[in-house]
Amino acid sequence: MGLDTGVDREWLLYWTARDRPVPCSRVPVLAGWADLDQREADAAIAARHPILIDPQYRIDPVLARFLTASRFTWLAEGTREAYAKDYRLFFSFLWQRGKYWHEADPDDLLDWESWRRRGQQGRRISGSKWQRELAALRLLYEWAEKKEHIGRSPVLVHAVRLRDGGTLLAADQAPRDVRYSDVKWVTPRTYRLWRDTGLLAYGISGQPDPSWRGRNDGRNAAFTDLLFSSGLRLREGGCMLTLEVPDAIAGHCYYEGSVAGAVAKRRERMFYASATALQRVTGYVATTRAEAIRRARRHHRYDQIPGKLIVTKVSHGVRRKLCWRDEQGRAREAPVGAIGPAERMRLFTETEYGLEPLWLWLTEGGTPMAYQSWEKVFDAANARVAAVFA
């Protein structure tokens, strides 16, 4: 498990993992827990499952049941991760008031909203983010109320009449400043201007900046070209494996690919990418990516990555499968579409030159690049564009 964050006055958030050796020899208290993977599987605890621990290092059994309940586990992986972080923050807020999570009342929630949205500490959150936090808390407390673990949910609701005559329950503290759509359409020419300026360091004259020292230009431009061409979400494109890149070999203008259900927002779906975008991806794989892999091998970085999964077979067909073995020699297999981001980042193939990640997008050091890291790349690109055109 990996520590998320926390201090002695805050709740802690951990995430379960799979195929990681339990350090029984180094940590005596873990003796007898070498079969942790099987124990978690028997308890219906999947990989990347959140575990909340209170400031006294206890696990609340009611919270544990909620986090394994279908109402929570059926959420999209990204939503589950966001909700778990929301719970940790709110529970820590309550703890500093001398309350446990199940003791929250409507006044606590009002104060929490005031602190999050109008308080002076830290950055104030938007209406959209508050709406998400409210949805997370409502899901938990309504479940707890229904199961009679609490007397009443702190999230107060009221009935709203719909145009078709029906009604629904809406939270009293629902924000009024939610922007349901913040899409700004750009032409291909505008996109290319942003890409060339922000990622490839072209100046306002349209020529490369000789002082630029970027080392991942090819990777960054290939990624944004793929997303702009296909309409893939950042998570969908950022979690792609090399074997999921469509082959642009038939002389068409666009090529069909498939988004894995385990990384898609809702379900597996098809996408189409232009030949030009795929050619840039192919160029990245043959140059920047290949050099990053060679660099990682020289520094033995792949040997140091814990929990590697070595792919032994790729079966082709309607539902392509991967077979692999972990570092303990245990064999497993799964459809490509069912493999989530955490496992994808640990998939490697053995070549005549050494190990190679199956994850498409790599850091300069040759290790898999977390899809969340693309936000920093875009922020830097936006800052450069703003500076150049100031």
Side-chain angles (χ1 to χ4, degrees):
M1 293 188 292
L3 177 64
D4 186 86
T5 188
V7 295
D8 59 356
R9 295 189 64 200
E10 294 186 349
W11 283 64
L12 304 175
L13 175 58
Y14 287 80
W15 305 93
T16 60
R18 282 290 186 273
D19 305 314
R20 302 287 180 87
V22 178
C24 300
S25 59
R26 290 189 295 105
V27 187
V29 74
L30 296 178
W33 287 84
D35 60 344
L36 181 58
D37 280 3
Q38 188 58 50
R39 294 191 187 203
E40 290 180 343
D42 293 342
I45 297 175
R48 198 61 186 166
H49 178 84
I51 296 179
L52 286 159
I53 301 177
D54 72 24
Q56 293 183 349
Y57 307 105
R58 301 171 300 183
I59 295 178
D60 185 281
V62 175
L63 278 179
R65 283 195 292 273
F66 168 73
L67 295 174
T68 56
S70 58
R71 291 189 67 180
F72 183 80
T73 58
W74 285 358
L75 298 171
E77 182 177 353
T79 303
R80 293 197 304 271
E81 292 185 2
Y83 279 19
K85 294 175 182 178
D86 294 338
Y87 296 144
R88 189 193 73 81
L89 287 174
F90 183 59
F91 297 167
S92 297
F93 172 78
L94 291 173
W95 185 271
Q96 294 172 21
R97 292 186 148 202
K99 289 188 174 184
Y100 211 59
W101 72 270
H102 65 268
E103 298 175 304
D105 60 35
D107 287 339
D108 292 318
L109 199 60
L110 285 169
D111 292 343
W112 175 242
E113 179 189 10
S114 178
W115 187 82
R116 292 290 278 161
R117 303 211 61 198
R118 292 177 288 276
Q120 299 302 314
Q121 297 100 336
R123 186 172 59 184
R124 301 177 187 181
I125 64 173
S126 66
S128 299
K129 195 169 189 307
W130 171 248
Q131 184 179 54
R132 191 203 70 198
E133 290 189 7
L134 199 59
L137 296 175
R138 183 177 175 184
L139 181 73
L140 166 63
Y141 284 108
E142 287 186 354
W143 174 89
E145 181 181 7
K146 184 176 181 181
K147 297 293 183 180
E148 299 183 349
H149 295 301
I150 61 174
R152 183 187 185 189
S153 169
V155 184
L156 302 182
V157 297
H158 61 276
V160 176
R161 183 171 297 278
L162 304 176
R163 292 182 180 179
D164 61 2
T167 59
L168 61 78
L169 295 177
D172 289 1
Q173 291 174 249
R176 299 179 180 275
D177 57 341
V178 176
R179 299 180 66 176
Y180 289 97
S181 179
D182 194 22
V183 177
K184 294 180 174 61
W185 297 98
V186 298
T187 65
R189 180 178 180 276
T190 302
Y191 160 70
R192 289 193 296 269
L193 182 62
W194 175 86
R195 178 200 64 195
D196 293 348
T197 306
L199 298 177
L200 301 179
Y202 280 48
I204 199 167
S205 63
Q207 300 297 318
D209 182 349
S211 65
W212 178 249
R213 294 295 180 267
R215 295 179 294 271
N216 291 300
D217 302 2
R219 180 199 67 189
N220 298 343
F223 181 75
T224 56
D225 274 12
L226 178 64
L227 263 59
F228 184 80
S229 164
S230 63
L232 289 170
R233 297 179 176 87
L234 185 147
R235 173 187 168 96
E236 295 169 343
C239 294
M240 189 174 288
L241 302 176
T242 54
L243 53 81
E244 293 177 308
V245 179
D247 293 324
I249 57 175
H252 300 301
C253 294
Y254 279 84
Y255 296 84
E256 182 183 278
S258 178
V259 177
V263 303
K265 185 173 179 64
R266 293 182 177 86
R267 62 182 67 86
E268 186 170 333
R269 63 182 179 85
M270 307 306 295
F271 71 90
Y272 294 88
S274 70
T276 303
L278 293 175
Q279 287 167 5
R280 191 180 282 272
V281 173
T282 301
Y284 155 69
V285 170
T287 56
T288 307
R289 186 178 189 275
E291 177 55 33
I293 292 173
R294 288 192 289 268
R295 192 178 299 115
R297 288 171 180 160
R298 287 197 301 270
H299 292 87
H300 306 287
R301 291 195 177 102
Y302 298 146
D303 299 332
Q304 301 166 14
I305 294 178
K308 290 187 294 294
L309 306 175
I310 309 302
V311 175
T312 56
K313 181 181 177 182
V314 180
S315 65
H316 298 278
V318 178
R319 286 185 62 80
R320 184 166 44 183
K321 287 185 177 181
L322 291 184
C323 302
W324 66 77
R325 68 174 188 274
D326 63 21
E327 292 181 321
Q328 286 73 49
R330 296 172 296 193
R332 283 187 59 196
E333 67 175 40
V336 174
I339 305 174
E343 283 187 323
R344 285 171 169 248
M345 294 184 77
R346 295 187 287 126
L347 291 171
F348 286 78
T349 57
E350 287 184 312
T351 72
E352 59 180 310
Y353 304 106
L355 292 176
E356 177 177 329
L358 217 57
W359 188 269
L360 176 58
W361 310 105
L362 306 181
T363 66
E364 185 182 359
T367 55
M369 176 180 175
Y371 71 89
Q372 298 93 333
S373 299
W374 284 107
E375 295 285 0
K376 295 181 181 178
V377 174
F378 295 157
D379 287 344
N382 290 337
R384 177 170 173 77
V385 170
V388 168
F389 288 96

